[in-house]
Amino acid sequence: MKSILILGAGIYQVPLIKTAKKMGLHTIVASIPGNYPGFEIADEILYENTVDYNAILESAKSKNVSGIVTAGTDVAVITIGKVCDALGLRGLSADAAEIASNKLLMKQAYEAENVRTARFRQIPAELDNFEDLLEGLEFPLIFKSVDSSGSRGITKVTDRSQFEEARQNALNNTRSDFFIVEEFIEGEEFGAQAFVQDGQIEFILPHGDYVFKGDTGVPIGHFAPYDLPEEAIEDTKKQLTGAIKSMGLDNCAINADFILKDGKCYVLEIGGRSGATCLAELVAIYYDFDYYEKIIRVAMGEHVSFAPGPAAAESGVPNASMLLTSEKSGSIASQTNSNKPDPHIVEIQFDYNEGDSIRKFNVGPDRIGHVITKGDTLDEAVDSLHDALSNIIIEVH
């Protein structure tokens, strides 16, 4: 039996683990200790930090794994790239993984290939007075840690009085000795999922984002198809293709974030893994194939067809999703789902049980569940989503 090493045991790695098991693979899951759902279903557990490359590499060697993969998180991507290089496994390279996990390297790569992106500056951590370095940038600004995920370490700034708080937030959420400040582009935020295999982009699927307006915009749901003018779609594909080339990404899923302003697409950032917040499910439903299985098969060394399934052969299957969240921290007193069986409801998932402690929603990992729907049209999928959400009540005390 072949073994696959899955980095992370959180809610976004659970579908990978379940799918790998259904494929008859021996699933080895690596993560720091904690109350992670992946531990309950894995065949084997390694209590290791996924950023500890040396420990993960030794485990991958000793377990003779045939593939290494993750989903929904950037934290483990560098380790995956290094292990793939060291063991000759199929996946993104160490160099590409480092760029995909560092927003400064990413921005520099985009500039080198003339990929459209926001103007930015690199700010050393030890520099308290850095206003001169921001000369030429226009408010509002975004302060970003370069190596975090889940919207951590990111603050929107509208005037100088907010600089220090934003600086501290970036530094408190980074392992680097610098952060970046870039212009906040006022426009329409959206995303795209893609896959690149043997140097060829297999698909590009733009999707709309439902955004939580906290300190910064945090995606809490998505929908596809996304209604863009044809010129904007072509520009999106052009910018994404250039970005993938500039980063050297190959044999991996792609999660991309964009801003559309005045008909032009600006690349915010790109991850070398499948997106979180039900985005892998969005791809699977839209194209009518098992996306997690395809991600795993590529990681295991196979060349995979990404041809749409029969339900999506002509135009794709419209679908929509939304996270379940709480407006306050506390414990779950009750959670009720009064939805009746409905072919438009793909999945309703609660991440926690009654009595469990949860956090007020601020960033992606604060989710407490999700709802996914589909329809013959996007309007039908979205209407079904809102209907399903209205029939779910979660009380937090």
Side-chain angles (χ1 to χ4, degrees), residues 33 62 115 117 119 159 184 211 306 318 325 341 383:
S62 67
V115 175
T117 190
R119 296 187 297 174
D159 62 64
F184 179 81
V211 179
F306 286 84
T325 63
D383 287 345

Side-chain angles (χ1 to χ4, degrees), residues 11-132:
I11 197 69
Y12 291 120
Q13 289 81 53
V14 166
L16 273 180
I17 302 168
K18 289 181 176 179
T19 302
K21 288 172 69 72
K22 285 194 299 183
M23 295 168 63
L25 299 174
H26 179 73
T27 55
I28 305 171
V29 171
S31 173
I32 58 173
N35 185 27
Y36 298 117
F39 288 152
E40 299 178 6
I41 57 175
D43 294 313
E44 188 174 348
I45 299 170
L46 301 175
Y47 291 111
E48 295 173 351
N49 194 321
T50 59
V51 302
D52 187 342
Y53 158 67
N54 291 319
I56 297 294
L57 177 61
E58 289 307 309
S59 293
K61 287 180 179 178
S62 67
K63 303 295 182 180
N64 193 30
V65 303
S66 299
I68 181 170
V69 71
T70 193
T73 178
D74 294 316
V75 174
V77 169
I78 288 181
T79 299
I80 289 174
K82 289 182 177 180
V83 171
C84 285
D85 278 5
L87 301 185
L89 300 178
R90 199 154 184 246
L92 77 176
S93 68
D95 288 344
E98 185 175 5
I99 295 172
S101 303
N102 186 299
K103 295 178 179 67
L104 175 63
L105 297 179
M106 199 181 300
K107 300 282 284 189
Q108 291 172 336
Y110 297 163
E111 285 195 337
E113 287 289 333
N114 295 315
V115 175
R116 194 181 299 116
T117 190
R119 296 187 297 174
F120 71 98
R121 301 286 188 273
Q122 177 182 356
I123 309 297
E126 73 277 3
L127 194 61
D128 292 328
N129 186 1
F130 51 84
E131 289 193 25
D132 289 349

Side-chain angles (χ1 to χ4, degrees), residues 345-356:
I345 298 177
V346 177
E347 185 176 50
I348 294 175
Q349 176 175 304
F350 296 121
D351 298 344
Y352 296 90
N353 298 314
E354 292 182 5
D356 288 345

Side-chain angles (χ1 to χ4, degrees), residues 377-389:
T377 65
L378 180 59
D379 286 344
E380 190 174 70
V382 171
D383 287 345
S384 295
L385 176 65
H386 293 308
D387 287 345
L389 289 167

Side-chain angles (χ1 to χ4, degrees), residues 151-171:
S151 302
R152 299 182 185 91
I154 300 177
T155 308
K156 181 180 178 181
V157 169
T158 56
D159 62 64
R160 287 175 172 78
S161 66
Q162 301 168 308
F163 277 7
E164 183 55 28
E165 182 178 354
R167 172 179 175 271
Q168 287 301 321
N169 185 36
L171 295 178

